[in-house]
Amino acid sequence: MEKLELNGLLTQISQIRPARAVGRVRSVDGTVIWIRGLAHLACIGDRLRLYHAGGALDGEVLRIRDDLVAMLPDEGPEGVSQGDRVAVLGPPVLAPSDDWVGRVIDPYGQPLDGRPLSPGPRRRPFRTNPPPAAQRRGLGGRLRSGLAAFDTFLPIVRGQRVGLFAGSGVGKSRLLASLARGVEADVVVLALIGERGREVHDFVHDVLGPEGMARSVVVAASSDRSPLERRRCALAAMTVAEHFRDGGRQVLLLADSITRFAEAHREVAVAAGEMPALRGFPPSTANQIMRLAERAGPGLVGAGDITAIFSVLVAGSDMEEPIADILRGVLDGHVVLSREIAERGRFPAIDILRSVSRSLPEAATEEENDVLLQARHLLGAYARSETMIRAGLYREGEDPLLDQAIRAWPDLDNFVAEAAPHGPHAAFNQLRLILRRSGVRSPQQKRRLSAAG
């Protein structure tokens, strides 16, 4: 412990500069502050600190033009006047530490839980390249999730990247908390991007609780924070996850939500002069999302993995809206939460037929894949005829497959909502029992009957 504290102190000392370059405010244009005298010293992305009569104001370099630098401040420019001094702080970095487990921090590594926090010995940039594609390991083994749906229909494997697509108020946060508590991992890193301040407190203290926080690092930027800070929240969480991955840990990263990350990037990009082109989002949005997602996944030989779950807010359950479409194309699976299912009281409100795990069929045995295929056939048959069944227009005996689907549907629907404390093996046994009760024969049973006949 003393060594870690000494390393953190040395890191803080190394960040102290005896002198800083200083410029002056020339003009304020909306939310952008133009500064003269720093164009030959400041770089895009550098942090700046503006000193005015009311105190200090931090911000980031967005543009450099001729002898002027454009600064986007973290807060409104109230109190700023011409001639105010502006100092260059340098590129933003983060120094994660193993001591951060159990803590709540902001995107700059400052504590939000009222206790002192020491940085780690290594300073990391917020933006970095993912491990070389040709040197990364493949996806690992299946992880126990604690939920029946994820232990069977939608398995999560080490290093997988999954999208959680949901509208507002359908149980997304509750599901993320269940996964944070239940998925096998050494460390859980949560990015709460643009959440209401009250929800951050409730998520940490009530939803996660002491058990969940004991292995978690929470990085939070509430909705009142600047777009710079909200965008950096996702980058900071990824940087913290990479610290533990490089130390050989298995990391579960939960980001809630990528939609708010994209919206924060839109505000920053528009202030930097980029024009909206993709249904209101600037062209760079796709690259920002894909670069973030690619940093997760399997690590190099000797390192750990980052298993990531990114949530996406889909307005009106529109899976074709830009952010959902971009993210779905770079992930290893997607889970769709349905408002209709939530409204009839089943949580988690997972729509199995619209959800896909690209870890299958490799993540399950041949027999387990047969069971999943049979269960999906029954769910699909019921979904296609649900209106007719509820209207009383179907008579038993007209379609053997639909008869089995009607018998199995209540149990299958309840199964998706159940916990699976004993792991995938027990969950699959329960699923086999449901199919057997509905009259579905396994391929092995069919072969035995065929041989006997």
Side-chain angles (χ1 to χ4, degrees):
M1 180 65 70
E2 292 180 358
K3 184 178 180 180
L4 289 173
E5 292 178 353
L6 178 60
N7 288 335
L9 180 60
L10 292 175
T11 301
Q12 291 176 311
I13 293 174
S14 68
Q15 296 176 7
I16 298 174
R17 294 186 179 183
R20 298 186 187 276
V22 175
R24 298 282 179 174
V25 173
R26 180 186 177 186
S27 62
V28 180
D29 184 8
T31 59
V32 176
I33 302 172
W34 290 95
I35 302 156
R36 67 177 186 273
L38 295 179
H40 63 294
L41 295 171
C43 301
I44 298 295
D46 276 358
R47 297 289 292 169
L48 303 176
R49 178 163 295 162
L50 187 155
Y51 300 92
H52 59 86
L57 180 64
D58 288 354
E60 186 173 303
V61 176
L62 286 188
R63 286 187 274 175
I64 301 175
R65 187 179 66 196
D66 299 329
D67 189 40
L68 297 176
V69 169
M71 166 186 170
L72 182 64
D74 288 342
E75 300 176 5
E78 290 81 7
V80 176
S81 61
Q82 283 188 336
D84 285 341
R85 293 180 301 118
V86 183
V88 179
L89 302 182
V93 292
L94 197 65
S97 167
D98 291 354
D99 288 343
W100 288 11
V101 175
R103 303 299 302 275
V104 184
I105 63 173
D106 72 7
Y108 298 105
Q110 299 302 311
L112 294 176
D113 51 14
R115 293 181 288 148
L117 183 71
S118 298
R122 178 184 172 188
R123 300 166 65 190
R124 293 173 175 265
F126 282 87
R127 298 182 185 276
T128 186
N129 294 323
Q135 300 177 30
R136 301 182 84 159
R137 300 192 307 273
L139 295 176
R142 184 167 61 189
L143 298 174
R144 178 184 296 185
S145 71
L147 297 170
F150 288 95
D151 279 356
T152 52
F153 291 102
L154 304 168
I156 300 173
V157 301
R158 285 199 312 273
Q160 187 175 2
R161 296 167 302 185
V162 180
L164 181 61
F165 299 82
S168 58
V170 297
K172 171 177 55 66
S173 296
R174 186 190 304 183
L175 177 55
L176 284 173
S178 297
L179 293 172
R181 291 192 301 264
V183 174
E184 289 181 74
D186 297 321
V187 179
V188 180
V189 180
L190 294 99
L192 300 180
I193 308 163
E195 292 283 356
R196 293 184 288 272
R198 176 188 58 79
E199 288 185 340
V200 173
H201 177 275
D202 291 347
F203 194 91
V204 170
H205 293 278
D206 301 331
V207 180
L208 270 181
E211 179 183 355
M213 280 300 298
R215 61 170 189 164
S216 300
V217 181
V218 177
V219 185
S222 53
S223 58
D224 62 303
R225 306 311 300 166
S226 72
L228 285 171
E229 191 167 337
R230 284 182 276 123
R231 184 178 68 168
R232 198 172 297 282
C233 183
L235 303 175
M238 186 64 73
T239 303
V240 173
E242 289 169 338
H243 162 78
F244 290 106
R245 178 203 64 195
D246 293 346
R249 309 277 191 94
Q250 292 299 323
V251 183
L252 174 65
L253 171 69
L254 303 174
D256 185 21
S257 71
I258 295 302
T259 304
R260 296 195 184 103
F261 167 76
E263 290 170 347
H265 172 71
R266 175 173 58 190
E267 293 183 56
V268 176
V270 169
E274 193 173 351
M275 296 300 294
L278 186 65
R279 289 174 63 178
F281 288 93
S284 61
T285 302
N287 179 257
Q288 291 286 326
I289 293 174
M290 290 187 286
R291 283 181 61 87
L292 180 70
E294 279 298 321
R295 289 170 64 181
L300 301 175
V301 175
D305 307 301
I306 299 176
T307 305
I309 299 177
F310 302 102
S311 77
V312 180
L313 286 167
V314 285
S317 300
D318 180 12
M319 289 291 289
E320 305 306 319
E321 62 94 19
I323 306 307
D325 193 46
I326 292 168
L327 194 59
R328 192 170 62 245
V330 297
L331 297 180
D332 308 309
H334 56 271
V335 178
V336 179
L337 300 188
S338 166
R339 186 171 302 280
E340 290 75 16
I341 294 175
E343 286 174 348
R344 59 180 171 82
R346 195 256 276 167
F347 292 97
I350 300 172
D351 189 333
I352 294 295
L353 295 177
R354 297 175 64 195
S355 303
V356 175
S357 174
R358 293 178 184 169
S359 65
L360 289 174
E362 290 79 12
T365 65
E366 182 179 355
E367 181 189 357
E368 289 170 344
N369 280 310
D370 287 337
V371 170
L372 294 177
L373 183 61
Q374 292 168 343
R376 279 185 175 272
H377 279 165
L378 295 182
L379 288 171
Y382 187 90
R384 288 190 298 271
S385 304
E386 184 173 9
T387 302
M388 181 175 63
I389 294 168
R390 294 188 179 278
L393 301 177
Y394 176 74
R395 290 183 300 178
E396 186 176 358
E398 293 179 351
D399 184 342
L401 176 62
L402 190 52
D403 290 341
Q404 292 173 343
I406 293 172
R407 288 194 294 270
W409 187 83
D411 290 334
L412 286 175
D413 190 60
N414 291 331
F415 174 80
V416 174
E418 290 179 359
H422 303 297
H425 183 72
F428 270 106
N429 284 339
Q430 187 177 353
L431 191 55
R432 291 187 191 95
L433 180 61
I434 292 172
L435 297 179
R436 193 158 51 243
R437 284 202 301 258
S438 66
V440 177
R441 293 192 179 96
S442 69
Q444 293 83 356
Q445 289 174 318
K446 290 178 180 179
R447 285 194 291 268
R448 285 197 296 267
L449 290 173
S450 178

